[in-house]
Every structure is written in structure tokens, then in C-alpha cells.
Amino acid sequence: IGGLSPLQRPLAEGTMKAQGVLLKLALLALPLLLLLSTSPCAPQVSGIRGDALERSCFQQPLDCDDIYAQGYRSDGVYLIYPSGPSVPVPVFCDMTTEGGKWTVFQKRFNGSVSFFRGWNDYKLGFGRADGEYWLGLQNMHLLTLKQKYELRVDLEDFENNTAYAKYADFSISPNAVSAEEDGYTLYVAGFEDGGAGDSLSYHSGQKFSTFDRDQDLFVQNCAALSSGAFWFRSCHFANLNGFYLGGSHLSYANGINWAQWKGFYYSLKRTEMKIRRA
């Protein structure tokens, strides 16, 4: 600046001040830029299978099909991301039944978790993925919105007999702007019999009902009458979220019932509802 004329000095000083301000702004913005450039995706939590993998947001698994594609072949709990990369959801993956890749959204086997719950619990999910649980209607809707799925329902009684039912198409409110306002409507088609018979097609096209949100076609509340929550019509042939009554029961249709296999007076020992990409 010393070699500049009196007219040039103010201009040069102004330029240097402006550069200094820009430098300070850049330094202030650097932490924010670093934060924005950091992946919001959390790595798999220790103790959950697949914890050795740290992948980018675009590679976070949507379902157990993606987990399988990452090379995992063992049954167990994994993290999936139906709502996006910042919201991990634990889920049980069945990697052995009929070739594996099954994302389990309902699992019961010992009656340790109460399934007689209200709307919000069924919407968001409850239980533990390493035990009895329900994945949540919103998660199920998001999964079936992004991929085409088949459904498998595995059943077991207290005499160690097993059976299953399969449906080539399964979705939850696929065309709804708001799935919740649509009642998380069930769509199933393409029944294949694995010995259990078809107790679910009757429920296709029905909204989900709980004791505090009655959306069935019956004059009374099917969820309250059946001690459960399901896609009731008037009322059901399947009540897999009913009371865990441990086999034969005297009460009508309020156990874990699959009518086409064991009728309305037998509560099943084990049930799993699971989906896989079709």
C-alpha cells in the first residue's frame, strides 16, 4: 500500500478488508459444510448382524432382500431403512425358509408381548425384533410402496404341526395420498396353499381396525370382540393378533385363529407374517 497514490490507497484497503471478511465467513461456514457433507447414515449397531458394514445412504438396506444381497445368510435381526437413511428399524430376517430374503413384520411364539393394543402402536410398531413384535403399518406401507412383494404366513400349532399360506401380491394402501387416512388398507391376491387354507383373501380390501379405531363393516367393533387388531371385515377368518390362548379355547374367535386350518376355537402357538420381493 505504501507505493500507492493517495487515491489508490482507500480502494486497496477496502479490497483487503473485503477479502478478510470473506475469509472469516468461509472459516465460519467450514464446520457447517463439513456437517452437511458427512453422511447422516449411522453404521449398523453392534450386536445386530451386518454391523461390519458401513455403507453410504444410497446403499442402506430397504429390506431383507437387500441384506441378503450384501452376503448375509443367517436368520437374525438386521437394520433396514424403509423411511430413509436416518431412521433405522430393527427387523427379523428369515434367511432360510424357501430360499430366504423374508422381511418378518409379525412374529408370535410365546405370548410374552401383548398384541391387544391401540391404533398408534399398530401404526408405529411394538415389541422387539429378537422376540415377538409388529413392524408397524407405516413401515409396511412404505416398503410395499417402493417394491412389489409376495406374502408368506407361517403357522404352527401346539402339536408341532406346521402349515403356510402364500399370496403372490401383497400391499398396504398402494395408491393412497395418505395411507393412514386410507386406513392402511390390505391388498392380497394370488393365493397358494401350503396346507393352511386361505383365511386372508376375505380380508383383502379392508381397512385396519383396533379397539380405539373401528374401521370394519360390522355393526360392532370387531377388534374389541376378537381381542385383537386386524384388517377386519365382518369380522374375520384370520385373527393373528388375537389373544395368546395356548391351543383349544372355549371363547369364540378371539385367539390367534386361522379359521381354514384350525377353526375359531384354536389359538396357534407360532405365527409369522413375512414379505419378500416378488
Side-chain angles (χ1 to χ4, degrees):
I1 293 178
L4 299 176
S5 69
L7 291 174
Q8 291 174 317
R9 285 177 186 172
L11 182 60
E13 289 173 354
T15 301
M16 292 178 66
K17 286 181 181 179
Q19 290 173 339
V21 170
L22 288 173
L23 180 60
K24 287 180 180 179
L25 288 173
L27 290 172
L28 288 171
L30 184 60
L32 179 60
L33 289 171
L34 289 172
L35 181 64
L36 291 173
S37 66
T38 303
S39 169
C41 306
Q44 297 271 351
V45 177
S46 179
I48 293 179
R49 297 182 186 276
D51 55 323
L53 289 180
E54 292 188 25
R55 297 177 177 270
S56 72
C57 294
F58 299 104
Q59 295 172 303
Q60 293 290 9
L62 174 67
D63 55 22
C64 294
D65 280 84
D66 284 344
I67 298 289
Y68 189 93
Q70 291 175 356
Y72 293 93
R73 301 292 184 269
S74 298
D75 294 351
V77 178
Y78 298 82
L79 294 179
I80 61 171
Y81 298 80
S83 297
S86 61
V87 189
V89 178
V91 72
F92 191 89
C93 292
D94 176 351
M95 297 300 199
T96 54
T97 301
E98 197 191 359
K101 307 179 186 179
W102 296 101
T103 302
V104 179
F105 68 80
Q106 189 259 24
K107 187 173 186 179
R108 306 188 72 181
F109 57 92
N110 61 9
S112 60
V113 173
S114 171
F115 275 65
F116 192 49
R117 295 172 179 253
W119 179 261
N120 283 338
D121 281 355
Y122 272 95
K123 173 186 174 181
L124 300 174
F126 57 85
R128 289 175 56 95
D130 58 355
E132 295 193 327
Y133 76 99
W134 174 263
L135 184 61
L137 291 164
Q138 183 64 17
N139 285 326
M140 292 156 58
H141 162 68
L142 291 172
L143 286 172
T144 62
L145 194 65
K146 295 170 183 175
Q147 296 288 342
K148 180 178 170 63
Y149 286 94
E150 60 178 332
L151 168 71
R152 180 179 169 115
V153 183
D154 279 312
L155 310 172
E156 182 180 346
D157 66 15
F158 283 88
E159 291 71 49
N160 298 318
N161 299 305
T162 60
Y164 71 87
K166 277 183 68 179
Y167 300 84
D169 295 302
F170 169 84
S171 60
I172 303 293
S173 291
N175 301 316
V177 175
S178 168
E180 184 170 15
E181 287 186 11
D182 190 53
Y184 294 110
T185 299
L186 170 71
Y187 292 97
V188 291
F191 168 69
E192 177 188 323
D193 196 2
D198 181 10
S199 292
L200 195 59
S201 292
Y202 171 78
H203 298 262
S204 187
Q206 292 308 120
K207 297 180 179 183
F208 199 87
S209 286
T210 56
F211 62 75
D212 59 346
R213 186 168 297 195
D214 184 1
Q215 303 189 107
D216 60 57
L217 304 182
F218 195 53
V219 63
Q220 294 174 270
N221 185 330
C222 289
L225 290 173
S226 305
S227 306
F230 211 65
W231 295 276
F232 293 114
R233 188 179 286 265
S234 297
C235 281
H236 72 76
F237 285 104
N239 188 39
L240 299 186
N241 295 326
F243 281 162
Y244 196 91
L245 297 178
S248 298
H249 54 90
L250 297 175
S251 53
Y252 176 71
N254 70 332
I256 305 175
N257 307 132
W258 188 269
Q260 298 300 328
W261 191 40
K262 293 290 179 177
F264 293 107
Y265 295 95
Y266 191 97
S267 183
L268 298 168
K269 177 182 180 181
R270 176 186 290 269
T271 69
E272 289 185 10
M273 302 182 77
K274 58 190 78 171
I275 55 176
R276 179 174 67 184
R277 293 185 198 177

